[in-house]
Each structure stands twice: as C-alpha cells, then as structure tokens.
Amino acid sequence: NSLIEVSLATRVDTGDVRDWLGLEAISLAQGDAAVSGSVRVVSGDAPVLSLESDLVGVSLDLPEPWAKAADLPGQLSVELPLGREQSVLSLELGRQLQMQLDITAAAMQGASLGINADPPALENGKINVTGHASLVDVQGWLDFTEQYLLADAAELEVAPDPNDAVAPESRGGLASLALQIHELRADRVRIWGLEAADLVFSMDYAVDGWQVQAHTDWMRGSFLQPDGERATLALDFLDLEGLGQLVSTETETETET
C-alpha cells in the first residue's frame, strides 16, 4: 500500500515532448511553457505522470474557435500511465476539449475527442468524436485530422458541392484511422461556403467514402459520398422556409472586410 509521489516544476519545449513520445499530434503545439506536475508510484500499479500548464509561450494550431496564440493563457492537463502494455495519453484543454490518444508501440492506434463532454470510448483504428460545439468548420477539422491524427494519410477534402454538376474524383484512401463523429451538436456549422445553425450530425469517414446524417428543426436527411463515385442526398424531411436560414460564409467574409 506504499505511495511515492515526486513533484516537479520546469519549462518544457513542445518539440522535446513530440520527440520523446514519437507522436506527430504534439506538433499542434509550438513553443515552450512552464509546467508543474508529479509522478505517482503506487505499489502494484503503473506509475502515472501528471502535468499541468497555463500554456503561456505555446501556440495551439486547433480549428476555430480553439486556436491559441502563444502569448495568451490556457489550461492544459496531461496524464500518462507509464510502463503499461497499452499507453493512453489523456489531454484536457480547460473543460472544452478532452482527448485520449492510444499511442501504444509509439504509433497512433486510436483517438477519442469530447467537445464540452467526456470523450467517447477508444476504438482501435478509429477517431471517435462527440459533444457540443459552438462552431464546427468541417474543412478545418478534416485538415486538422489529416495533419495531426492520420499518419501518412491521403489528402482529405470536403466532398464536392452537391450542386456541382462535375462528377467527383477519387480522393484516395485513409492510411490508418477512420473518423467517426457521433451525434455532435453544433450551434454553427460551416461547409461548402455555407453556414447552418443548430445542427446535430454524425459522420463516418473511411477508406471507401463518407456518410453524414444530420437533422435540425427544418431538415432531416443523409449525404453519402462513395469513393470515386457520385454523391447522393436523401432527405426525410425538409421545410423549404428553413433554407432561408443558410448564410454564405463568403458574403460574411466580404462584409467583414
């Protein structure tokens, strides 16, 4: 029943953490910051490394609205059991983003992300996402997934606009993990140059294509984009008056400019 706890305080460069873990996902953070933490050793269990930082000095390349400049404060908590067969790195950015990364054998085996919610269960070969977000920029999240969570992935792009008459080209396949979004509630969603409000959607994104199911108070349906084939849109319910709630993000940008 013995317990040993070693406290520490230092400055850490994010590049050193990336090299130590061999994890490209750490590259989303750039810079160095003050860190405090501890290593707890309990008899009969794996040691646990716990770290906390205000992240002053570190920038975060996250999709809107979670990106952070280096001079702004944040609150990061990290926990990593040491010496277990399965290595699961837990990260918490405030209470807004909670992520678990299965980095067993120094490779990304799976990941889960909870947005203002607990992260879903880890599954081998998948990136599972759920929660409630004020803003979801679909292309921003696909770019983030490609750059930081998928090893040697093929280029990820939002499926072609369904109004485009040109047949979509094959986008290649994912090299490792499949992205699955489960009942994510979004106050605002940006996709295809449009912005919709109060949307709940699920998405499966894998080697053979992707499928989205979504509903709001004026629409319910699904969108299927098989790899290298034409997309299909199936609507179970549509109130045409709701189309007037769609906002063009391009117009919004021009107005702001």
Side-chain angles (χ1 to χ4, degrees):
N1 296 323
S2 61
L3 167 66
I4 299 175
E5 184 169 352
V6 180
S7 299
L8 59 93
T10 185
R11 290 193 70 85
V12 174
D13 187 287
T14 58
D16 294 336
V17 178
R18 182 193 62 229
D19 294 341
W20 170 50
L21 294 175
L23 190 62
E24 185 59 31
I26 302 298
S27 298
L28 67 90
Q30 296 288 330
D32 66 276
V35 173
S36 62
S38 66
V39 177
R40 291 172 57 89
V41 183
V42 180
S43 178
D45 204 353
V48 177
L49 171 65
S50 300
L51 301 172
E52 291 191 358
S53 175
D54 64 7
L55 294 178
V56 174
V58 171
S59 63
L60 298 178
D61 185 19
L62 290 167
E64 287 188 79
W66 297 286
K68 187 185 88 66
D71 58 343
L72 296 177
Q75 186 59 49
L76 176 68
S77 300
V78 178
E79 186 170 287
L80 177 64
L82 305 173
R84 289 181 178 171
E85 265 189 41
Q86 184 184 32
S87 296
V88 177
L89 179 67
S90 299
L91 302 97
E92 187 172 309
L93 187 61
R95 286 292 300 173
Q96 295 182 331
L97 297 180
Q98 298 182 63
M99 179 175 286
Q100 290 189 325
L101 306 176
D102 184 344
I103 55 174
T104 304
M108 185 74 73
Q109 309 295 335
S112 64
L113 173 64
I115 303 174
N116 293 305
D118 292 333
L122 280 167
E123 292 186 73
N124 193 46
K126 295 181 180 179
I127 304 169
N128 289 325
V129 182
T130 193
H132 181 186
S134 59
L135 170 66
V136 174
D137 182 340
V138 174
Q139 187 61 59
W141 275 105
L142 292 179
D143 291 343
F144 173 82
T145 300
E146 173 196 359
Q147 184 171 357
Y148 298 116
L149 298 181
L150 294 175
D152 302 321
E155 183 179 0
L156 297 177
E157 294 181 350
V158 171
D161 190 322
N163 296 317
D164 193 342
V166 179
E169 298 178 354
S170 172
R171 60 169 177 81
L174 301 185
S176 54
L177 305 182
L179 175 64
Q180 292 193 337
I181 298 175
H182 308 273
E183 290 289 312
L184 178 63
R185 182 177 298 275
D187 297 334
R188 296 157 58 206
V189 175
R190 291 177 182 168
I191 186 170
W192 300 318
L194 297 173
E195 184 173 296
D198 299 325
L199 192 71
V200 178
F201 71 98
S202 299
M203 181 171 75
D204 288 339
Y205 194 84
V207 174
D208 57 351
W210 65 315
Q211 181 175 4
V212 178
Q213 294 180 321
H215 65 86
T216 184
D217 57 355
W218 56 270
M219 180 275 296
R220 182 172 63 253
S222 61
F223 176 85
L224 177 64
Q225 173 65 74
D227 187 29
E229 299 179 19
R230 285 190 176 274
T232 59
L233 177 65
L235 294 176
D236 301 318
F237 167 76
L238 176 63
D239 182 349
L240 293 177
E241 291 186 1
L243 293 175
Q245 300 178 26
L246 294 176
V247 176
S248 170
T249 56
E250 295 178 359
T251 302
E252 185 178 87
T253 303
E254 292 173 359
T255 302
E256 290 175 356
T257 304

